[in-house]
Amino acid sequence: MKRYLNPFDIYVEPDFSISVFASELNSPGSILITDNNKMYITDTGELTGEPKLLLYENGKFESIAEGFNTPITGITYRFGKIFVSHRGSITIVDENGTQKNIVQGLPCQGDFPNSNVTFRSDNRLFFGIGTATNSGVVGLDNKWVINHPYFHDKPGDNIIVFGQNFESYNYINHSKEPVLTGAFSSFGEMNFPYEQKKGTLLASGSILSCNPDGTDIQLYAWGFRNISSLNFGYYDRLFACNNGYDERGSRPIANASDDFYHVEPGVWYGWPDFSAGMPVTSPKFDTIYNQKIELLISNPPNIPPRPITTFPNGTNLKGFLVNEYREFGNIGDIFITEYGGTTIKQQYYGRKISKINTISGETTTFAMNKSGNSLYSTTGGFGRPSDLAFDTEGDLYVIDSGINNLNNSHCLLSNTGVIWKISRER
């Protein structure tokens, strides 16, 4: 399928223009532009099952490294090397394509993989790990259980759970007899009242740090659900995107926001009992199932902080970067891609680029489709924005992963990925 593209279908802030830089790409996910202006992108592998790192040379993209786990979730440049994050692993790729795994075996067999990596000014490496489940309980929505029946979420601190158990059918052995599953437990494993769950280094929903060679892994913070991206801003402030709960599974939670945080060390950020600093027992999070939501942890490590700003459920925050060019607004502002939701309820959220003032929390629209953001839009504008990067000339490049299969909003059509270029009119 050849995707229809028309930059005039996209609104951008006054004095900026947008154009198509490259098209007909397969599920591109991340973009990296080095100090010497080399451009790298990723094929996440979600369409082909063959994730790749690609280099732009002589007017086209060529694969320079393959054999990663699906999906690739980010690429970062440091020390003349490319750090590739892919499910469960972090791999260093030299510019000639030589590969070396520095981190392997991360607990990412569940719903959400590890995030991109980023570096603090002292060259300490940071990355996020997603949770196994939506809200702490393995259930019928976790299809990975068939292959990983003993996998489950683990906390970053020693916690005591209240001990609730959630009923579902036992689809592992195709039995219609119900089974009971407790929080932070394997499917079919019950919890006892006030049972202790031991904290672990490789905690679910955590941010970890390590040396650039992968040694000395340390837990930095935890209590996130799905850290899709993280980066350092000025003064070594660590920022992270966290996408909130869905209304699904054994413990559905409705109307949870997607959040942008300033992350402090040693802090618990609320998952699986809080959303944006609010307890999920609040009526705001009531579901259509009229199921009473209860807290799971009886001894929360701390009062969870509030995010810098929130976005509607289904915005699906992806990549972001810190502005370094006065022509694009305040130095230190955040440009962030909104991938968009995958349900009819969420269809009008996302599919644009926003700008966040990290001091005030004010969020404004930088670029979006003029016709709106319908899941089934056929205009020539944004499909699924997922990442962005500046080149050395101060132009902004945006990865658009593609457009949806109309019969499956989770699936992108092949060869519909695009790179857009946004320039200040000179």
Side-chain angles (χ1 to χ4, degrees), residues 357-425:
N357 183 309
T358 60
I359 304 300
S360 67
E362 180 185 11
T363 302
T364 56
T365 296
F366 179 70
M368 67 177 293
N369 292 335
K370 293 177 180 177
S371 62
N373 298 326
S374 170
L375 188 63
Y376 303 108
S377 173
T378 56
T379 66
F382 289 140
R384 295 290 194 180
S386 62
D387 200 14
L388 65 181
F390 283 110
D391 68 7
T392 57
E393 303 299 318
D395 292 319
L396 181 63
Y397 293 78
V398 179
I399 288 282
D400 180 339
S401 292
I403 57 175
N404 292 107
N405 181 327
L406 295 183
N407 297 318
N408 183 354
S409 61
H410 292 275
C411 181
L412 298 173
L413 295 173
S414 60
N415 301 312
T416 60
V418 178
I419 300 176
W420 301 93
K421 179 181 179 180
I422 300 178
S423 304
R424 181 82 183 192
E425 294 180 350

Side-chain angles (χ1 to χ4, degrees), residues 83 102-103 119 123-125 209-217:
F83 289 73
I102 60 167
V103 176
F119 286 88
N123 290 326
R124 187 91 180 161
L125 183 155
S209 73
C210 64
N211 292 326
D213 62 359
T215 60
D216 188 32
I217 293 180

Side-chain angles (χ1 to χ4, degrees), residues 46 84 97 145 164 168 244 250 280 316 321 330 340 363 401 426:
E46 291 174 298
V84 181
V145 171
Q164 306 96 320
S168 60
S250 295
V280 295
N316 205 346
L321 57 75
N330 297 327
T363 302
S401 292
R426 299 177 174 93

Side-chain angles (χ1 to χ4, degrees), residues 81 99 163 278 286 301 331 333 377:
K81 303 178 188 297
Q99 298 174 222
M278 296 177 59
D286 289 349
I331 300 298
D333 278 357
S377 173

